[in-house]
Amino acid sequence: MAEIIDGKAFAAQLRAHIGRRVARLVAEEGFTPGLAVVLVGDDPASQVYVRNKAAQTLEAGMISFEHRLPAHTAQPELLALVRRLNDDPAVDGILVQLPLPAQIDADVILNAIDPAKDVDGFHPLNAGLLATGNGFGLVPCTPLGALMLLRDRLGDLRGLNAVVVGRSNIVGKPMAQLLLREDCTVTVAHSRTRALPELCRSADILVAAVGRPGMIRGDWIKPGATVIDVGINRIGLPDGRARLTGDVDFAEAVTVAAHITPVPGGVGPMTIACLLHNTLTAACRRRGVELPD
């Protein structure tokens, strides 16, 4: 049976460490990192996510700026807010919660964020810095969290075969770039990859980020592999409720893999923790201050 990778516990430790570092900055440098989160509309899942971000930001000793706009907000109005946040010296990180309403072009908004404050790591400049191997960009939070879990479990990743199933700009592509930076041999696959099961079986590290519940079966996994399930899929239940499930058939995979992340409780909790990590990093870089230990 696979060892379960407890992302919730790891994220709690990371947030506590960030809180200690923030306290040192406040005491020694005299400033407090600030994170601004923008929510447009009333999507229930987004509201919960934004509420959790605000709570954990405050818990880490940072300043939380929340901007909630109605669903009918026009694109120029949102752009104006982003520009004000870019110019605000108290704001070190800006996050615009996705998805956005249909009348707003998400790419236009995300590209308008100052790359130095782009704590989601979605700006083309940060994506380019990651792709070229430059270590000074801000990295998307979910793949960064997944990498932290891999390092914690496996230590040195050099020379391992990694297969990333998924090619999104949010997870798949940056995950592949991070693994390349660790000297893994990386293959990016997707739902249209031919002979996908055979390819997955070649992986020492298998990252599932395709957005299809239970797509990765147990017999797709190399015995002893480490499986990182990034998928978060809501499956309706007969009583009207929903349960979360990943892209990996957990019941099958847990009997084959050496290590595996559950859904929920695996990679998910790492996302907000890494958002705080990026905010701390951005705050120090903007002021030319070394990150405290």
Side-chain angles (χ1 to χ4, degrees):
M1 293 289 287
E3 181 181 0
I4 306 301
I5 300 174
D6 189 343
K8 186 176 181 180
F10 190 99
Q13 294 172 4
L14 178 58
R15 293 196 309 271
H17 181 52
I18 291 168
R20 292 190 291 270
R21 297 166 89 184
V22 169
R24 281 192 58 190
L25 284 178
V26 174
E28 298 174 10
E29 303 292 342
F31 72 87
T32 304
L35 172 63
V37 177
V38 180
L39 174 63
V40 183
D42 52 5
D43 178 77
S46 293
Q47 287 186 334
V48 171
Y49 198 43
V50 166
R51 187 162 60 245
N52 289 340
K53 286 174 182 174
Q56 293 183 28
T57 300
L58 295 172
E59 183 184 315
M62 299 183 185
I63 301 171
S64 175
F65 303 96
E66 280 192 59
H67 298 268
R68 295 175 179 262
L69 305 178
H72 58 75
T73 298
Q75 182 165 300
E77 184 180 351
L78 181 54
L79 275 173
L81 172 59
V82 168
R83 289 172 181 140
R84 289 198 300 273
L85 297 175
N86 284 342
D87 295 335
D88 188 340
V91 174
D92 297 294
I94 302 170
L95 183 146
V96 177
Q97 183 65 40
L98 302 178
L100 291 169
Q103 76 273 14
I104 298 176
D105 186 330
D107 287 338
V108 170
I109 300 302
L110 296 178
N111 292 351
I113 296 172
D114 181 347
K117 297 185 177 187
D118 168 40
V119 287
D120 251 342
F122 294 160
H123 192 282
L125 178 60
N126 284 319
L129 289 172
L130 177 60
T132 56
N134 186 300
F136 294 100
L138 292 167
V139 177
C141 300
T142 300
L144 178 59
L147 179 64
M148 288 181 180
L149 294 177
L150 283 167
R151 283 174 170 170
D152 179 68
R153 196 61 42 163
L154 301 178
D156 188 356
L157 306 182
R158 286 179 295 180
L160 296 178
N161 289 327
V163 174
V164 179
V165 186
R167 52 182 168 176
S168 73
N169 292 330
I170 295 173
V171 179
K173 291 176 184 176
M175 186 78 248
Q177 296 292 347
L178 286 171
L179 289 167
L180 280 172
R181 203 161 71 180
E182 296 294 315
D183 292 326
C184 293
T185 300
V186 182
T187 302
V188 177
H190 44 80
S191 59
R192 292 180 175 82
T193 297
R194 295 182 181 179
L196 182 58
E198 288 82 355
L199 180 61
C200 290
R201 279 192 286 270
S202 71
D204 302 307
I205 298 170
L206 179 60
V207 181
V210 74
R212 293 191 179 185
M215 176 178 169
I216 308 297
R217 306 302 300 268
D219 61 1
W220 294 23
I221 296 167
K222 177 182 179 180
T226 297
V227 178
I228 303 294
D229 190 351
V230 185
I232 300 179
N233 308 286
R234 287 176 170 80
I235 305 296
L237 298 175
D239 60 5
R241 295 181 300 165
R243 66 178 178 88
L244 293 180
T245 186
D247 291 347
V248 176
D249 187 315
F250 184 84
E252 294 181 359
V254 76
T255 66
V256 182
H259 313 94
I260 189 169
T261 57
V263 178
V267 177
M270 293 296 295
T271 299
I272 297 180
C274 288
L275 176 67
L276 301 178
H277 168 86
N278 280 352
T279 301
L280 175 62
T281 300
C284 291
R285 286 179 181 170
R286 291 182 61 241
R287 294 169 177 83
V289 173
E290 189 171 337
L291 271 169
D293 293 330

